[in-house]
Amino acid sequence: MVQTTQAPPQGDPNHSPHEAVDLAQTPTGRTVRRIGHGGVFVPADPDAPQDPQDSTATLMPRTEAAVRRDLREQRFDATTSFDYLLRDLARDFPAAHLPVGDDVARTRDALLRLGAGMIEAPAGAPAPGAPAAPPRDSTIPGIYTYWGQFIDHDITLNTNGPDDGAGPGGDQALGDIVSEPFRPFEPDVVRRSLHNGRNPLLDLDSLYGSGPRFEGEKDRGTTRSEAAYVPNSAKLRLGRIGTEPFGPFSLVAPGDDPQRDLPRSTAPGGERMPLIPDSRNDENLIVAQFHVAMIRFHNAVVDWVARYEPWCAVTQRELFDRARELVRFHYQWLVVNDYLRTLTKSGVLDSVLATGPTLFRPARRVAMPLEFAVAAFRFGHSMVRGAYDFNVNFTGNGPGGVASLDLLFRFTGNGGLSPNPANPAPALPSNWPVEWPRLTDKGDPLSFRMARKIDPFLADGLGHLLNEGNAASEPIKALLKQLAQRNLLRGYMLALPTGEAVAQELRARPLTPAQLRQNAAPEVVAALDDLDGTPLWYYVLKEAEVQGNGNFLGEVGSRILAETFVYLLRLDPESFMRRPGGDWTPAYGVRFEDGRLVTTISDLLAFAGVFPIGQDEEGPVFRRNGKGYAGHDGA
């Protein structure tokens, strides 16, 4: 969440008078730092350094000024809009929603109790005679949890302007669930005041930002994203790790590959800031390593284009533009044909692809459905494990044991890249790169390598998020750190319809009260009994448990995802679905040396040089480019 209250400084160094489109004033190419989930935007200090590589401001000044203007004047020039997927239900407010008016306090209390009951108790020995806890492992590899997080950061960033000022609460910020008194807003207020700081068109602006600036080109502005590029090269920069083992730990294959961290700079306070367009991709080590893999994939595609399409590589600009196009096409195709096909109910995606998206008709064409962003796409929270079989060192019988969620948050820039926050490390240690085969194999017989089931039961670690709300007072901190309560309250505040109303609108068979309560703890049942309707987020999770045994989304959740992604891809004139001559397929993209196509997320990782392509007597074999590993930055 972003709030803005201070006028922009003068003498803006981000001014780019020669640029046809000033990227600072559009959501495309924007670079955002220091905004976590539930975070609050802190205005830039006019006296702070504003060079992209040195600044610790959340937004550069011209970008900040443009966002402020949108929020103040209710424009959508520097931001994009949110709207309701099911506009008829929004018009029916509050009949299709949780009750408001005199029932707000009672409903809020029930939502808090429901959220508390959704977090599982810390692991421990069961009481004598107590039944064993049911297995929570799905058939979905762990990578899909964090691929979903990467997608989310690429398409959504909540910013909010003032509400209408009505009511006893005065002027509150939408989505600010800790405001007192708490109150839900009407749909028209939400549409007008809630803004998206990201371009939602799956164009990988969280990877590319505003792109590189090459010698001889007109000024393209000085946004922070340039800091992520190798100077005068079409490649993205990478960070280095050590290649020497230490203590009881082994090197993670390939042990002689140092380019396996995000590019970083050192903030004035010593924090190792990621030089990437969206710092939320450094929240935990798995999503950070996924971003590293995407950087490596881009660099590997640059090398492929230079070798196999030299007519596209006469200049560095032409080389970069062609490589970015191919990376985007592969990524978007995989989002549809790997990610969505893995996580949605069979037949739903094909139906939407065949007929086209029929539900979303927003007031502004570039918009993000609230039912998706605030509820359905948050299904990934239930897939988060409390610990992971991460690599040769952090596994069940490894010297570090399994990688706990706490450790995965610590080995990031915010966590100090160290188990001890008081003693931060200058770089990711050599024992911490991920081994992707442990998180990607759909046929792996080891169920603890899979994501948790999609259901209303969240891992214990999500009840107290390590890097969230630490600057707040104790009562507020507790709420910001409790993910389930935050999701439920935000959905209520932003006027999401109930799960039953959405199911009826989609002509899906609604879950029965008994189904909504099956396998639930007594405190969850009591909270549901006190609610007049089921929160959409809880409904989507429960539907996945009932209809998919936690291994894929049910009818409502699948339809919301399919409608949203297909709408956004068909809206984008530069997506793979809008390619002249028909939809693009991987047959038109990059290929491995033996002619194989990139058709799965594992293929993408292998092409990038971070996933083995074979095995020899010395161990796993990784793809190479000349003398080095594929995907290196060449710097």
Side-chain angles (χ1 to χ4, degrees):
M1 180 178 63
V2 177
Q3 291 176 296
T4 55
T5 57
Q6 179 178 313
Q10 301 298 313
D12 178 9
N14 201 44
H15 182 58
S16 49
H18 305 298
E19 191 173 13
V21 177
D22 187 348
L23 293 172
Q25 298 200 44
T26 78
T28 302
R30 175 162 302 151
T31 298
V32 182
R33 285 199 40 77
R34 294 183 178 275
I35 293 181
H37 292 293
V40 177
F41 174 75
V42 178
D45 179 358
D47 298 323
Q50 293 300 316
D51 181 88
Q53 298 193 50
D54 299 328
S55 174
T56 58
T58 303
L59 300 176
M60 298 300 283
R62 193 170 182 83
T63 305
E64 182 180 324
V67 172
R68 291 180 193 279
R69 185 189 62 232
D70 268 20
L71 301 183
R72 182 179 63 249
E73 301 177 12
Q74 297 177 8
R75 297 166 57 166
F76 288 90
D77 297 327
T79 58
T80 56
S81 66
F82 287 94
D83 209 327
Y84 293 91
L85 184 73
L86 304 170
R87 293 178 68 89
D88 287 345
L89 294 185
R91 294 189 189 100
D92 203 20
F93 181 85
H97 302 70
L98 294 177
V100 294
D102 294 338
D103 293 313
V104 168
R106 177 178 63 85
T107 301
R108 180 179 183 272
D109 175 71
L111 291 173
L112 289 172
R113 289 186 283 115
L114 177 60
M118 292 174 68
I119 303 291
E120 69 180 5
R136 295 284 182 224
D137 297 328
S138 72
T139 58
I140 309 165
I143 192 173
Y144 289 87
T145 308
Y146 298 92
W147 187 2
Q149 186 178 26
F150 180 89
I151 294 171
D152 179 61
H153 294 170
D154 191 51
I155 60 178
T156 57
L157 173 67
N158 290 358
T159 69
N160 59 270
D163 62 49
D164 60 357
D171 192 36
Q172 291 179 288
L174 276 76
D176 186 1
I177 58 173
V178 299
S179 292
E180 293 290 350
F182 176 93
R183 70 183 180 101
F185 293 91
E186 295 184 4
D188 285 343
V189 177
V190 176
R191 285 194 195 96
R192 181 174 64 247
S193 299
L194 193 69
H195 293 232
N196 189 356
R198 275 264 175 246
N199 178 31
L201 299 182
L202 287 101
D203 59 358
L204 286 174
D205 60 348
S206 65
L207 178 68
Y208 291 115
S210 63
R213 182 174 51 184
F214 297 109
E215 186 175 353
E217 291 186 338
K218 291 181 178 181
D219 180 19
R220 296 179 63 83
T222 53
T223 63
R224 187 174 288 103
S225 58
E226 271 106 12
Y229 288 87
V230 177
N232 297 314
S233 169
K235 291 188 173 183
L236 287 152
R237 284 175 53 185
L238 286 155
R240 272 46 172 182
I241 68 170
T243 55
E244 296 293 331
F246 64 92
F249 301 109
S250 303
L251 289 176
V252 179
D256 60 343
D257 183 355
Q259 297 193 26
R260 290 194 280 176
D261 192 19
L262 297 172
R264 300 183 183 278
S265 66
T266 303
E271 178 188 344
R272 297 287 291 164
M273 298 192 308
L275 292 172
I276 56 176
D278 196 318
S279 65
R280 293 175 297 173
N281 284 349
D282 194 33
E283 281 184 343
N284 64 73
L285 185 54
I286 303 182
V287 75
Q289 289 282 287
F290 190 93
H291 194 110
V292 169
M294 290 302 299
I295 293 174
R296 295 274 297 251
F297 183 62
H298 168 85
N299 291 346
V301 172
V302 167
D303 290 329
W304 187 91
V305 171
R307 179 177 180 183
Y308 293 104
E309 296 183 349
W311 57 91
C312 295
V314 176
T315 67
Q316 288 294 305
R317 165 56 56 191
E318 291 173 333
L319 176 57
F320 171 78
D321 287 346
R322 174 56 174 161
R324 179 174 59 178
E325 178 184 62
L326 284 172
V327 171
R328 284 174 171 171
F329 285 178
H330 278 289
Y331 165 77
Q332 293 168 352
W333 191 92
L334 288 171
V335 166
V336 173
N337 293 284
D338 188 342
Y339 182 82
L340 287 179
R341 289 198 184 282
T342 297
L343 294 164
T344 58
K345 186 176 181 179
S346 178
V348 175
L349 175 62
D350 288 321
S351 175
V352 174
L353 288 171
T355 63
T358 61
L359 298 178
F360 197 35
R361 296 294 181 266
R364 297 172 180 84
R365 292 178 68 242
V366 180
M368 171 60 64
L370 285 155
E371 294 92 334
F372 170 91
V374 184
F377 201 48
R378 295 179 182 237
F379 75 91
H381 292 163
S382 73
M383 297 166 62
V384 175
R385 300 186 66 91
Y388 287 85
D389 184 48
F390 189 76
N391 64 23
V392 65
N393 299 304
F394 295 93
T395 182
N397 57 357
V402 291
S404 69
L405 201 56
D406 181 78
L407 284 174
L408 293 173
F409 275 90
R410 292 196 185 280
F411 281 91
T412 63
N414 283 338
L417 298 166
S418 165
N420 181 6
N423 187 27
L428 184 69
S430 63
N431 60 335
W432 269 109
V434 68
E435 285 186 277
W436 285 118
R438 298 173 185 261
L439 298 174
T440 55
D441 185 359
K442 290 183 177 180
D444 199 320
L446 302 177
S447 63
F448 59 83
R449 290 181 171 174
M450 300 297 172
R452 285 171 58 107
K453 288 186 174 182
I454 307 171
D455 59 25
F457 305 96
L458 275 66
D460 170 50
L462 299 182
H464 189 80
L465 296 173
L466 181 68
N467 294 332
E468 296 290 345
N470 293 322
S473 62
E474 285 304 318
I476 294 176
K477 180 191 297 186
L479 181 54
L480 290 176
K481 286 179 172 292
Q482 218 281 12
L483 189 59
Q485 291 178 335
R486 244 172 45 194
N487 286 348
L488 292 166
L489 289 180
R490 186 166 285 131
Y492 180 39
M493 175 176 273
L494 299 180
L496 292 191
T498 65
E500 292 89 348
V502 171
Q504 185 174 2
E505 186 73 7
L506 295 179
R507 299 179 182 177
R509 180 178 297 178
L511 298 180
T512 66
Q515 288 174 321
L516 286 164
R517 289 160 176 77
Q518 71 182 38
N519 302 324
E523 57 268 29
V524 170
V525 172
L528 290 172
D529 288 343
D530 290 340
L531 288 168
D532 296 327
T534 307
L536 182 57
W537 179 57
Y538 181 92
Y539 187 97
V540 166
L541 297 180
K542 195 67 182 182
E543 185 190 53
E545 179 191 358
V546 171
Q547 296 183 2
N549 193 29
N551 296 314
F552 53 84
L553 292 166
E555 185 75 24
V556 168
S558 297
R559 183 78 182 279
I560 293 174
L561 259 67
E563 289 273 346
T564 299
F565 280 114
V566 176
Y567 175 88
L568 294 174
L569 286 166
R570 294 199 172 175
L571 176 66
D572 181 3
E574 297 183 350
S575 82
F576 86 98
M577 287 188 175
R578 296 282 299 276
R579 182 177 181 269
D583 287 359
W584 180 92
T585 76
Y588 299 106
V590 300
R591 295 175 181 244
F592 288 90
E593 285 69 18
D594 61 3
R596 285 190 303 117
L597 307 181
V598 174
T599 59
T600 67
I601 190 63
S602 296
D603 291 337
L604 183 149
L605 299 172
F607 194 88
V610 297
F611 187 103
I613 58 173
Q615 186 91 9
D616 63 17
E617 62 277 1
E618 296 182 1
V621 175
F622 292 78
R623 185 169 175 268
R624 301 182 73 91
N625 178 49
K627 295 181 180 180
Y629 290 103
H632 278 192
D633 62 17

